[in-house]
């Protein structure tokens, strides 16, 4: 292998490694986004349940929940 072939080969290897790192980072970002989305949905469901409980408590207090 002459010097320019060697440099080309190394550049190709570096590009491959950079692409691999990039795709790993995208996977991590995607996983983080997914878990954030899930925890937001969970928080939303908890808030909904609390709001429903509060509404029921008010209805009980004013006698509408019969």
């Amino acid at each position: 292998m002459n010097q320019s072939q060697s440099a080309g080969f190394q550049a190709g290897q570096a590009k491959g490694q950079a692409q691999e790192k990039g795709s790993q980072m995208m996977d991590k970002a995607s996983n983080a986004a997914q878990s954030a989305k899930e925890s937001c949905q969970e928080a939303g469901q908890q808030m909904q349940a609390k709001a429903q409980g509060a509404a029921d408590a008010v209805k009980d207090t004013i006698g509408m929940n019969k």
Side-chain angles (χ1 to χ4, degrees), residues 10-31:
Q10 287 174 339
Q13 266 193 324
K15 183 180 175 195
Q17 287 171 351
Q19 285 173 332
E20 178 61 30
K21 273 206 172 85
S23 95
Q24 285 172 355
M25 285 172 70
M26 287 298 289
D27 286 347
K28 282 184 183 161
S30 172
N31 291 343

Side-chain angles (χ1 to χ4, degrees), residues 1-11:
M1 220 190 290
N2 68 25
Q3 212 163 356
S4 68
Q5 281 177 318
S6 174
F9 177 75
Q10 287 174 339

Side-chain angles (χ1 to χ4, degrees), residues 8-65:
F9 177 75
Q10 287 174 339
Q13 266 193 324
K15 183 180 175 195
Q17 287 171 351
Q19 285 173 332
E20 178 61 30
K21 273 206 172 85
S23 95
Q24 285 172 355
M25 285 172 70
M26 287 298 289
D27 286 347
K28 282 184 183 161
S30 172
N31 291 343
Q34 183 62 36
S35 63
K37 182 179 162 192
E38 285 166 9
S39 60
C40 283
Q41 286 173 336
E42 217 169 275
Q45 287 167 349
Q46 287 173 354
M47 284 174 67
Q48 220 172 358
K50 283 180 183 164
Q52 185 62 52
D56 287 344
V58 169
K59 286 179 186 172
D60 284 343
T61 304
I62 58 175
M64 283 177 57
N65 222 6

